Amino acid sequence: MGHRIVHGGSELRSHTLLDDDVRARLDRVADLAPLHVPQALTVLDAARDLLPGVPHVACFDTVFHAGLPVAAREYAVPSSWRDEYGLRRYGFHGLSYAWALARTAELLGRRPEQLHLVIVHLGGGCSACAVRDGRSVDTTMGFTPLEGLVMSRRSGSVDPGALTWLITRKNVSANEIEDALNHRSGLLALSGTSDDTRDLVRSRAAGDERAALALDVFTHQCRRGIAGMAASLSRLDALVFTGEIGEDQPEVREEVCAGLSVFGLTGGLRPLVAERPEIISEPGARVPVVVVPTGEAQQINIETRALLAHR
């Protein structure tokens, strides 16, 4: 059995066969991704109890970014924080990115190591990744899956000075801030009604100004993220959308690309016709725009079989 584990921390940097030692290490990193890892460990423990004779493999979203260049990995904070607490940028959505990279290479008729891509995973969680020669060289998420783009209920990046100001000047507790940023922010906070872009597109069409604001902030942050990732590339072979929103929300894709003419991207994208990887930009576009349906489960299958084949 293969299990998706969002955060492997500083110790678990490759997909790993589960044993009691690995399971204990996972407990130590669970609070770094509180929306994901504790729940995944509950399922993992149940599966190990039900199927004790079956190998179990932990597949980490952080593995795809394990080779991040030091300039993209390090925070400019005291060295004691980096050395003692492992404070660095890990990156996430790695299983999704690995799947999208391979499918994009097939679609373009090139090998992954030949490609320079920006891949955007838009779903409940959102991030962007720069892939250079088939390897992750930058990504918008950091120490936790809270950094970076605006998400459904997560805030994305917020000025850390604003957060320390809330704690020291307004007596807002750290627990309250953590809960708000993870559960009561993002599209939900901006719109006041929904964290679902499908609802927000309909509400905007009906004249809801807060829904329009939420979508404007969301697509603006997506463009900023894409532009930032492109800074780590020497060319842009394609822009790739994946994740539930990336796959299913043509209005979001259109607004993101229409605002990136500086990179040779344009609007006028086709809706996704079938549930398979497709180029949705016009033929001959300077930068192809690709949609790859989410394939995290399929990538877990690939990684699990590959690891077990080499036992």
Side-chain angles (χ1 to χ4, degrees):
M1 290 194 68
H3 301 266
R4 179 193 177 204
I5 307 294
V6 165
H7 210 314
S10 59
E11 298 179 16
L12 298 166
R13 297 169 58 97
S14 60
H15 306 306
T16 304
L17 189 67
L18 273 157
D19 57 22
D20 291 341
D21 176 63
V22 171
R23 179 62 185 82
R25 294 187 192 188
L26 290 173
D27 273 334
R28 295 199 289 270
V29 300
D31 62 348
L32 298 179
L35 301 185
H36 302 91
V37 175
Q39 298 88 327
L41 295 183
T42 299
V43 174
L44 184 154
D45 290 341
R48 291 180 78 197
D49 288 342
L50 288 167
L51 298 167
V54 171
H56 293 261
V57 173
C59 296
F60 298 102
D61 268 316
T62 46
V63 167
F64 189 72
H65 309 289
L68 278 178
V70 65
R73 185 187 71 209
E74 296 298 328
Y75 288 117
V77 296
S79 59
S80 60
W81 295 7
R82 289 180 275 128
D83 296 340
E84 294 176 29
Y85 308 137
L87 204 65
R88 50 155 289 185
R89 305 185 72 253
Y90 289 98
F92 303 94
H93 290 138
L95 294 163
S96 176
Y97 288 136
W99 177 261
L101 169 61
R103 304 291 79 73
T104 300
E106 292 171 355
L107 191 63
L108 298 180
R110 299 166 72 178
R111 298 192 305 274
E113 59 269 23
Q114 295 176 312
L115 292 174
H116 287 213
L117 306 173
V118 173
I119 309 177
V120 190
H121 178 106
L122 302 178
C126 300
S127 69
C129 177
V131 173
R132 183 185 182 104
D133 301 326
R135 299 173 62 87
S136 171
V137 292
D138 202 358
T139 189
T140 55
M141 281 181 169
F143 182 65
T144 75
L146 187 56
E147 186 179 358
L149 309 183
V150 171
M151 308 177 215
S152 292
R153 291 177 176 242
R154 278 173 268 170
S155 63
S157 293
V158 177
D159 178 358
L163 304 181
T164 58
W165 179 82
L166 287 172
I167 292 170
T168 60
R169 303 291 193 275
K170 299 300 177 181
N171 297 317
V172 180
S173 72
N175 287 340
E176 184 178 350
I177 289 174
E178 183 175 33
D179 177 70
L181 297 183
N182 277 296
H183 299 284
R184 296 185 280 115
S185 296
L187 290 170
L188 179 64
L190 289 166
S191 70
T193 55
S194 178
D195 64 351
D196 190 320
T197 55
R198 294 168 296 186
D199 295 336
L200 299 177
V201 166
R202 288 191 291 266
S203 297
R204 179 178 63 181
D208 186 331
E209 293 183 358
R210 290 188 65 182
L213 170 67
L215 289 167
D216 284 348
V217 172
F218 183 79
T219 55
H220 175 72
Q221 292 294 331
C222 285
R223 290 191 294 270
R224 288 185 67 186
I226 291 166
M229 294 302 99
S232 291
L233 307 177
S234 57
R235 65 179 189 273
L236 186 56
D237 294 325
L239 173 63
V240 184
F241 287 93
T242 190
E244 295 89 342
I245 297 171
E247 179 184 349
D248 294 336
Q249 198 71 65
E251 295 87 351
V252 167
R253 296 194 300 262
E254 179 72 19
E255 289 170 36
V256 168
C257 291
L260 286 171
S261 58
V262 67
F263 293 109
L265 292 155
T266 62
L269 305 174
R270 295 184 299 107
L272 188 65
V273 175
E275 293 183 359
R276 63 172 183 264
E278 286 194 34
I279 298 173
I280 60 169
S281 48
E282 292 294 326
R286 179 178 157 193
V287 177
V289 178
V290 175
V291 174
V292 176
T294 307
E296 288 162 317
Q298 296 95 315
Q299 191 64 32
I300 291 169
N301 176 41
I302 291 170
E303 303 292 357
T304 298
R305 290 178 184 276
L307 189 146
L308 294 178
H310 293 91
R311 288 179 65 192

